[in-house]
Amino acid sequence: MAERTLLVSKINNGTVIDHIPPGKSFKVLSILSIDSRISYTVTIAVHVLSKKGGYKDIIKIEDRFLQRDELDRISMVAPGATISIIKDYEIVEKFTVKIPDEIVGIVNCPNQNCISNSREPIKSRFVVKSQKPILIQCFYCQRPLTDLEIITNI
Ligand code: CTP
């Protein structure tokens, strides 16, 4: 069936984050520090039907291109999200976010006694034990973290 309306307009220049698991766009916005102070245009669609079945969220950010560490953070809260980089209304690059093999300086270890939480300048470090469902383990204290804990400690 032909689409009768376009839910969200195409953008001229910037980044589209599509296929975000439904409801997870709020966390992605927080990771990207998108709040009332921004001076670029952001459009958000929450819980919309996906062509591939089920529901998804979409975020379109004009005039902003994401850094590697931002993409790594998004991969952990919105696995399967696709990133399209738009220039002059054309998609110049499109890829699915990928969870890195090692997560350094992104997630805080919830174990207060962990050396990564001491005064030492040691960056948190996690090894990815499973991608789907996501399971990571602290390199220092072996504390495992599942998806919900990752979301609250990112
Ligand atoms: N998009 C946009 N502005 C453009 C081009 C594309 O906002 N100038 C958005 C589309 O609305 C879509 C995403 O970028 O959300 C990816 O575009 P495209 O690959 O053309 O869409 P689909 O074929 O629907 O992608 P998929 O198969 O990943 O669902």
Side-chain angles (χ1 to χ4, degrees), residues 94-147:
K94 181 171 175 175
F95 54 90
T96 303
V97 291
K98 188 183 166 296
I99 298 168
D101 296 334
E102 263 213 328
I103 297 156
V104 179
I106 288 180
V107 179
N108 297 319
C109 184
N111 171 10
Q112 286 313 307
N113 298 321
C114 178
I115 190 161
S116 66
N117 286 319
S118 68
R119 277 169 201 239
E120 306 295 319
I122 297 174
K123 279 189 180 172
S124 68
R125 187 167 161 193
F126 289 85
V127 178
V128 177
K129 292 286 174 186
S130 158
Q131 300 254 348
K132 211 176 171 182
I134 187 165
L135 177 71
I136 64 175
Q137 187 175 34
C138 179
F139 173 82
Y140 299 107
C141 73
Q142 273 71 56
R143 169 78 150 79
L145 265 80
T146 55
D147 52 354

Side-chain angles (χ1 to χ4, degrees), residues 3-101:
E3 281 183 68
R4 282 187 288 181
T5 52
L6 192 60
L7 182 68
V8 189
S9 305
K10 293 203 166 202
I11 62 170
N12 175 7
N13 186 63
T15 306
V16 176
I17 313 170
D18 198 348
H19 303 288
I20 301 171
K24 291 290 192 296
S25 53
F26 302 101
K27 190 66 198 181
V28 174
L29 294 172
S30 135
I31 284 171
L32 298 178
S33 303
I34 294 174
D35 59 20
S36 56
R37 290 168 299 184
I38 55 167
S39 54
Y40 43 89
T41 302
V42 176
T43 47
I44 306 155
V46 178
H47 207 86
V48 297
L49 270 175
S50 168
K51 277 188 300 191
K52 293 172 184 162
Y55 292 89
K56 66 175 183 178
D57 290 358
I58 310 168
I59 301 173
K60 298 191 181 192
I61 311 166
E62 290 186 45
D63 302 319
R64 180 167 166 189
F65 301 94
L66 305 182
Q67 308 292 322
R68 177 83 266 152
D69 71 303
E70 294 172 324
L71 295 169
D72 287 348
R73 285 169 201 265
I74 293 170
S75 75
M76 281 180 284
V77 303
T82 57
I83 307 291
S84 297
I85 298 170
I86 316 289
K87 293 198 175 143
D88 257 331
Y89 285 101
E90 298 293 330
I91 299 174
V92 293
E93 205 184 331
K94 181 171 175 175
F95 54 90
T96 303
V97 291
K98 188 183 166 296
I99 298 168
D101 296 334

